[in-house]
Amino acid sequence: MESEVCVSFGRAPYFLVYDTQSDVSNFFENPGAASQGGAGIKAAQAIVDAMAETLLTVRCGENSAEVFQGAGIKVYKTTKVSAKENIEAFQKGELAPLTHFHGGFHGKI
Amino acid sequence: MLSGKGGTGKTFVSVNLAVTAKNAICIDCDVEEPNGRLFLKPEESVTEEVYTKLPQVLEEKCIGCRKCVDSCRFNAMGFIKNSPLVFPEVCHSCGACSLLCPTGAIYELKRPIGIVERGRNKEVQVITGILNIGEASGIPVIQNALDTKITEKSIMIIDCPPGSACSVMESVQTADYCLLVVEATIFGFHNFKMVYELVSLLQKPCGVVINKGDYTYYPLINFCKENNITILCCIPYQEKLAQIGANGEVASEKDDETRMIFSTLLDKIRMEVRE
Ligand code: SF4
Ligand code: SF4
């Protein structure tokens, strides 16, 4: 909970799932982190499959955004350093929705 | 023909070599900006459309087994609200998903992404790959352009896209010899090293053509010496060459000195390839 939020969504090593009702938290590995292309899609899929309703991240790409939109997951931009601080800020309604999604690299290295 | 960045004169060298060699096939694989044809002005051109296949999901047939999503090695598919979603820019059109779907819910839609133009200018066969604006990957167009028969007497000159991306790898694969065109400047040298790395990775023999420069840019000269790379020739910057280029003409057809440079270059390449 004290760990920092990774600057990249698709390449983040782990995701933290936090249940706001029970206060239970869980880490799981990002299956997209090591993939060559389409990391954002795979990572977003993992969030969808984890039954998340909201995602807190620094930034995320267009493809991930499309997955979230399709799945009805809201994305908010983190402003604090640690996961804990950001969750608290979110619960107080202090985080703004993430509106800018960067274009991907689409395997064009 | 390779270069680390655009504008080093890759097309200039390709076109002039082709005209000098006479019996040549000049293939422009710089599909985002194919300029060779502006100089070679091919006649009797035939164009062929190039397609890529994009998987489409028939939702009524899909049973939601996720086989397609899990088997896509490019992660080009998501699975939302019980049905797969394809991301066209990420999809490599490999066909795995439609093959693996147990219910036949995926069919492939053909989508045009560019054209290949085939024509000739006297003894030179001119082939140009042209990618539609906004398309992400030119590889299918490059593959189509390279799918050209070569006769024993002719030489094939492939004008690659600038840089060292996948499309360059694709273009270089069949080549016997790589010609690296470099400008003798700090940026030119930096980009050149990246292309050289790619060529050595693919274990292709190569040589260097210095364009718009002379032999006095020592970092480049020393790098070539250290790595045992042959510098084949050096084409100095000349006002008249720029003028001929601006008129859309081929220098070695207009200027004797340039013709000599390219015919010597061609002989050197032939010798290098034989070795
Ligand atoms: S065609 Fe290949 S790359 Fe495209 S979605 Fe299907 S499996 Fe993935
Ligand atoms: S493999 Fe076929 S049936 Fe299974 S989820 Fe994909 S489209 Fe649907």
Side-chain angles (χ1 to χ4, degrees), chain B:
Chain B
M1 202 73 54
L2 297 109
S3 76
K5 64 180 187 82
T8 48
K10 197 168 42 64
T11 303
F12 169 73
V13 179
S14 303
V15 166
N16 279 286
L17 266 187
V19 169
T20 309
K22 298 211 166 62
N23 204 338
I25 306 169
C26 194
I27 305 184
D28 200 339
C29 286
D30 189 358
V31 295
E32 285 181 41
E33 229 172 306
N35 289 333
R37 67 211 261 268
L38 303 180
F39 302 95
L40 290 171
K41 305 185 181 67
E43 287 170 0
E44 297 160 41
S45 293
V46 190
T47 57
E48 186 187 341
E49 198 129 21
V50 181
Y51 298 90
T52 177
K53 293 190 205 123
L54 191 67
Q56 305 281 319
V57 183
L58 295 164
E59 282 183 25
E60 60 279 11
K61 274 197 182 175
C62 171
I63 51 167
C65 69
R66 285 180 81 144
K67 275 214 175 90
C68 53
V69 181
D70 296 337
S71 64
C72 176
R73 25 181 218 113
F74 303 101
N75 299 324
M77 276 193 172
F79 191 81
I80 300 159
K81 300 215 174 101
N82 279 321
S83 88
L85 174 74
V86 183
F87 287 83
E89 283 111 284
V90 187
C91 174
H92 283 56
S93 304
C94 71
C97 51
S98 57
L99 209 69
L100 286 166
C101 173
T103 64
I106 300 181
Y107 69 97
E108 291 177 326
L109 193 73
K110 270 169 89 186
R111 193 169 62 89
I113 58 156
I115 56 168
V116 170
E117 183 188 83
R118 292 182 158 83
R120 53 170 55 251
N121 168 333
K122 292 178 218 116
E123 295 103 323
V124 180
Q125 214 180 316
V126 185
I127 298 168
T128 313
I130 307 166
L131 186 67
N132 291 347
I133 291 166
E135 287 297 338
S137 166
I139 303 239
V141 176
I142 292 175
Q143 283 168 339
N144 184 305
L146 288 176
D147 187 11
T148 302
K149 285 209 176 54
I150 181 164
T151 56
E152 215 164 275
K153 280 200 213 94
S154 59
I155 65 162
M156 190 185 263
I157 298 166
I158 302 168
D159 193 355
C160 290
S164 47
C166 324
S167 54
V168 179
M169 293 243 234
E170 193 66 39
S171 317
V172 169
Q173 249 157 40
T174 56
D176 298 313
Y177 191 79
C178 293
L179 216 59
L180 312 179
V181 183
V182 57
E183 249 177 52
T185 62
I186 182 159
F187 285 119
F189 178 48
H190 173 78
N191 293 315
F192 161 76
K193 281 195 280 191
M194 292 190 339
V195 180
Y196 174 67
E197 210 171 291
L198 173 86
V199 171
S200 5
L201 207 70
L202 297 172
Q203 299 187 324
K204 298 276 180 189
C206 67
V208 170
V209 173
I210 302 174
N211 190 31
K212 294 187 235 174
D214 49 37
Y215 289 105
T216 55
Y217 186 70
Y218 291 108
L220 174 66
I221 309 295
N222 292 340
F223 180 85
C224 290
K225 262 193 206 140
E226 279 160 28
N227 291 282
N228 230 338
I229 315 166
T230 318
I231 298 177
L232 297 161
C233 84
C234 183
I235 305 164
Y237 176 79
Q238 290 179 74
E239 199 67 47
K240 62 174 179 188
L241 294 187
Q243 191 55 47
I244 294 170
N247 292 343
E249 291 171 321
V250 181
S252 54
E253 281 180 330
K254 293 275 154 192
D255 177 57
D256 288 334
E257 198 187 335
T258 311
R259 187 177 315 129
M260 280 306 296
I261 292 181
F262 279 99
S263 107
T264 317
L265 174 61
L266 195 64
D267 289 342
K268 279 195 190 162
I269 296 170
R270 286 205 166 110
M271 275 182 26
E272 291 263 326
V273 173
R274 250 174 250 137
E275 272 171 16

Side-chain angles (χ1 to χ4, degrees), chain A residues 71-91:
Chain A
I73 294 176
K74 292 187 243 7
V75 185
Y76 288 87
K77 184 167 171 57
T78 55
T79 52
K80 308 269 192 303
V81 175
S82 77
K84 190 173 176 220
E85 288 167 328
N86 280 298
I87 292 169
E88 283 166 4
F90 168 71
Q91 286 176 320

